[in-house]
Amino acid sequence: MKYLPLIWRNLLRRKVRTIFTLASVFIALVLYSFLMVVQTAFSMGVEVAGANRLMVMHKVSLIQLLPISYKQQISAAPGVVTVGEATWFGGTYQDQANQFAVMAVSPDHFKLYPEARVPDQQLKAWLADRQGVIVGRNSAEKYGWKIGDKVPIQATIWQPKQGQTWFFNVDGIYDGGRDLDKTNFLFHFEYLDENRRGAYGMVGWYIVAIDDPSHSAEIAARLDATFANSSAETKTSTEKAFLQGFVNQVGNIKAMIVAILAAVLFTLFLLVLANIGFGKMVGALPDGR
């Protein structure tokens, strides 16, 4: 404690140097917090993945499509409770900067994801509306959408038969726990399949709810064996593994964040060492300044 006054006097000796040092530390902490938020956002869906859900995708890659006819065969497999199809739609709202998860899904989507809560009346309205969409609470608040709005989405992957814009009716807004992704834009797969140019009767992947998570490996192997040696072989995995693979397509986010933070902390360490060395040199001057 007796050295604290000396440390304080040394800090005040060169106020500009001290201010810049403290600013560097502050910026490093802000950057660390921001990058941790980014990592959490990317891993959010992975951490809340359901243990009783399997994902069936094309064996080659996620961008390869599967026939809609597989749904009946998957439904008939032992241990399978519910099956729903899903297809990545892409699309943008108003301009290229407004991109979020727009997906065409089955009517049973919210049975597969009970953690996403939708009021009964809104769910009924969505099921009865071919152009209906249910959006996440965060996206609805961000863009000011409310029940009854008509939302235009510019096509980026699936082009409509006429023009380049798809129109959807906001029939519902889903909510959920803190860790649930509430940015999704979910509409009917049938609407997509009827109005897109080509790839009719093809889906991106299947979501499979099973009766016993402890049998997930056995059920996954059985499903893949069903479609072995077909024109579209499958790869079935747990939802967590599927979502992690989806995130990894962007890149190893965690490794990138660690590398950035390491570089920042190393630079900060050098800055502090330089300041200490500079302070010693100043203290060594004959006039003590």
Side-chain angles (χ1 to χ4, degrees), residues 40-57:
T40 301
F42 272 96
S43 62
M44 182 183 298
V46 177
E47 297 304 321
V48 299
N52 68 324
R53 290 190 291 260
L54 299 178
M55 313 298 279
V56 182
M57 57 175 281

Side-chain angles (χ1 to χ4, degrees), residues 42-47 49 55 237-254:
F42 272 96
S43 62
M44 182 183 298
V46 177
E47 297 304 321
M55 313 298 279
S237 61
T238 62
E239 185 180 50
K240 185 171 185 177
F242 174 85
L243 293 175
Q244 188 62 61
F246 200 84
V247 170
N248 289 344
Q249 290 190 37
V250 180
N252 192 333
I253 303 298
K254 186 174 182 179

Side-chain angles (χ1 to χ4, degrees), residues 105-262:
V105 298
S106 74
D108 291 329
H109 185 80
F110 292 96
K111 291 182 181 179
L112 291 160
Y113 292 91
E115 60 267 34
R117 301 190 298 269
V118 184
D120 291 341
Q121 286 300 113
Q122 295 180 14
L123 185 59
K124 290 178 181 178
W126 178 67
L127 291 172
D129 185 2
R130 202 70 154 183
Q131 289 181 254
V133 62
I134 291 181
V135 300
R137 173 70 59 187
N138 291 355
S139 290
E141 293 177 351
K142 179 178 180 179
Y143 300 111
W145 297 331
K146 58 184 182 300
I147 304 299
D149 283 354
K150 184 177 286 291
V151 178
I153 297 293
Q154 296 296 317
T156 55
I157 300 175
W158 302 109
Q159 300 295 323
K161 291 179 179 178
Q162 296 181 349
Q164 291 186 322
T165 305
W166 295 76
F167 294 93
F168 302 95
N169 305 317
V170 178
D171 291 329
I173 298 174
Y174 76 85
D175 212 329
R178 184 183 64 179
D179 294 330
L180 181 69
D181 183 358
K182 294 183 281 290
T183 64
N184 292 337
F185 188 100
L186 307 168
F187 69 98
H188 293 289
F189 169 76
E190 290 185 355
Y191 178 58
L192 169 67
D193 202 38
E194 290 174 353
N195 295 282
R196 61 181 168 181
R197 303 176 192 174
Y200 306 116
M202 304 295 287
V203 304
W205 63 90
Y206 289 99
I207 307 159
V208 183
I210 59 177
D211 57 2
D212 188 350
S214 65
H215 295 160
S216 59
E218 176 186 343
I219 296 172
R222 187 184 301 121
L223 292 175
D224 290 340
T226 301
F227 306 110
N229 300 317
S230 67
S231 58
E233 294 186 282
T234 62
K235 176 184 177 182
T236 304
S237 61
T238 62
E239 185 180 50
K240 185 171 185 177
F242 174 85
L243 293 175
Q244 188 62 61
F246 200 84
V247 170
N248 289 344
Q249 290 190 37
V250 180
N252 192 333
I253 303 298
K254 186 174 182 179
M256 289 190 287
I257 289 175
V258 169
I260 293 171
L261 289 176

Side-chain angles (χ1 to χ4, degrees), residues 94 98 163:
Q94 294 181 334
N98 296 330

Side-chain angles (χ1 to χ4, degrees), residues 4-166:
L4 287 178
L6 295 177
I7 295 173
W8 180 251
R9 289 179 60 186
N10 187 57
L11 290 173
L12 295 179
R13 181 184 298 174
R14 290 289 185 270
K15 295 184 178 65
V16 174
R17 180 190 69 194
T18 301
I19 290 172
F20 276 109
T21 301
L22 293 177
S24 300
V25 174
F26 175 75
I27 292 172
L29 292 174
V30 170
L31 180 60
Y32 173 80
S33 302
F34 176 76
L35 291 176
M36 288 300 100
V37 170
V38 171
Q39 180 183 351
T40 301
F42 272 96
S43 62
M44 182 183 298
V46 177
E47 297 304 321
V48 299
N52 68 324
R53 290 190 291 260
L54 299 178
M55 313 298 279
V56 182
M57 57 175 281
H58 197 287
K59 187 176 182 178
V60 176
S61 74
L62 186 60
I63 63 173
Q64 300 292 323
L65 302 178
L66 297 172
I68 189 64
S69 59
Y70 280 14
K71 184 175 182 177
Q72 185 175 359
Q73 294 172 270
I74 295 172
S75 300
V80 172
V81 177
T82 308
V83 181
E85 66 275 7
T87 302
W88 184 262
F89 181 82
T92 61
Y93 175 66
Q94 294 181 334
D95 59 55
Q96 292 294 325
N98 296 330
Q99 298 188 30
F100 38 86
V102 182
M103 289 182 285
V105 298
S106 74
D108 291 329
H109 185 80
F110 292 96
K111 291 182 181 179
L112 291 160
Y113 292 91
E115 60 267 34
R117 301 190 298 269
V118 184
D120 291 341
Q121 286 300 113
Q122 295 180 14
L123 185 59
K124 290 178 181 178
W126 178 67
L127 291 172
D129 185 2
R130 202 70 154 183
Q131 289 181 254
V133 62
I134 291 181
V135 300
R137 173 70 59 187
N138 291 355
S139 290
E141 293 177 351
K142 179 178 180 179
Y143 300 111
W145 297 331
K146 58 184 182 300
I147 304 299
D149 283 354
K150 184 177 286 291
V151 178
I153 297 293
Q154 296 296 317
T156 55
I157 300 175
W158 302 109
Q159 300 295 323
K161 291 179 179 178
Q162 296 181 349
Q164 291 186 322
T165 305
W166 295 76

